[in-house]
Amino acid sequence: MPFEADLIPILCTLMLGGAPEHPVPYSVGYDLHHIRVDCVTEDTVIEVGLDRRSSLDSVQQALFAAHLTGKIPQVTLIDTDGREGPFEYRIRSAAKAANVDYAVYKLDFLTRWQMTHYLRNRPPPQPLTRKLAGG
């Protein structure tokens, strides 16, 4: 199974047209810090996570990134098992309570999208034209 970091560029770049792993600076007192937002589009900051316990902080991360950037927060989970489990339910419920956009993509869909992406970026084939003899 791919790691979350392997799937972020597929989702962010190929599907959403955003910038993956985008650094956002902030300061506290005299110290300068930064966070890395999983995906930044024109108007949205997206925290991407697998359907695992490690994604339970996704809502907080999306809200903090939105606070820093002034963009709309979103949490996107990647479904690896085809069902909503306890962690997905908790994250979806927290996102709803915090008014954070929530989306789910299936792992198989993202994998197929990456495998066939080159077909969508090719120019359409030119029609074959035949010249008739004498014409």
Side-chain angles (χ1 to χ4, degrees), residues 50-107:
L50 296 174
D51 53 356
R52 306 265 189 283
R53 180 178 193 83
S54 61
S55 296
L56 287 174
D57 63 347
S58 295
V59 174
Q60 178 274 331
Q61 291 176 338
L63 285 169
F64 187 62
H67 167 74
L68 294 176
T69 62
K71 297 182 181 216
I72 299 166
Q74 179 178 324
V75 171
T76 296
L77 291 185
I78 299 170
D79 180 25
T80 63
D81 59 6
R83 66 181 187 89
E84 182 178 64
F87 302 120
E88 293 136 309
Y89 175 74
R90 288 171 62 180
I91 295 165
R92 180 174 56 83
S93 299
K96 182 178 179 183
N99 199 30
V100 171
D101 292 345
Y102 177 81
V104 176
Y105 288 89
K106 293 188 180 296
L107 174 61

Side-chain angles (χ1 to χ4, degrees), residues 19-68:
E21 298 294 333
H22 183 76
V24 178
Y26 69 99
S27 61
V28 178
Y30 295 108
D31 298 327
L32 183 62
H33 302 275
H34 77 277
I35 60 170
R36 287 203 177 275
V37 181
D38 288 339
C39 182
V40 176
T41 66
E42 191 173 305
D43 61 353
T44 307
V45 288
I46 304 166
E47 177 60 30
V48 179
L50 296 174
D51 53 356
R52 306 265 189 283
R53 180 178 193 83
S54 61
S55 296
L56 287 174
D57 63 347
S58 295
V59 174
Q60 178 274 331
Q61 291 176 338
L63 285 169
F64 187 62
H67 167 74
L68 294 176

